[in-house]
Amino acid sequence: MLTNCLAVGLGGALGAMSRYLLGLVILPLGAFPLGTFVINICGACLLGALNAWTTKESIGQGAVALFLKAGICGGFTTFSTYALEINTLLCKGEFFTAALYAGLSVFCGVLAAYAGSLIG
């Protein structure tokens, strides 16, 4: 149990730092929060690939799988930022951009997770 908790915690720290650094280099596209969008789509693809790989290799929910999936991918992607950015766009009256961002994030995220599962 402690090993699994440490694996998730270490992976989460690495994922969160990666998200922060990548977010610094991906600038918004007008009002569209491109950084969070790209991070979440890449994370969905990576999680799909890792899930397929850990299943294929029978790693299951061991410390390595938890480090990669719940830790790195969980720390890298961010639903709370996504929700806050949609709220901010709505408060600014950017209704089309908010709807576009929400819809594209869900559609592309599911598509990326599927693509990742094919890769893994």
Side-chain angles (χ1 to χ4, degrees), residues 9 23 26 36 38 41 46 49 62 69 79-80 84 92 99 103 116:
I26 302 175
T36 304
V38 169
I41 300 310
L46 179 62
K69 296 190 299 185
F79 183 80
S80 57
L84 180 63
K92 291 180 177 179

Side-chain angles (χ1 to χ4, degrees), residues 52-104:
W53 177 72
T54 57
T55 300
K56 182 172 57 176
E57 297 297 320
S58 300
I59 295 173
Q61 291 298 314
V64 171
L66 289 170
F67 170 79
L68 295 170
K69 296 190 299 185
I72 290 179
C73 289
F76 184 65
T77 60
T78 173
F79 183 80
S80 57
T81 301
Y82 162 74
L84 180 63
E85 288 171 341
I86 291 171
N87 182 62
T88 300
L89 288 168
L90 291 172
C91 289
K92 291 180 177 179
E94 298 275 353
F95 301 111
F96 177 77
T97 303
L100 180 68
Y101 179 45
L104 279 176

Side-chain angles (χ1 to χ4, degrees), residues 10 15 25 29 37 75 90 102 112 119:
L10 180 59
V25 297
L29 186 61
F37 178 77
L90 291 172
I119 293 167

Side-chain angles (χ1 to χ4, degrees), residues 31-52:
F32 193 86
L34 187 62
T36 304
F37 178 77
V38 169
I39 288 165
N40 284 340
I41 300 310
C42 289
C45 184
L46 179 62
L47 183 57
L50 289 171
N51 189 59

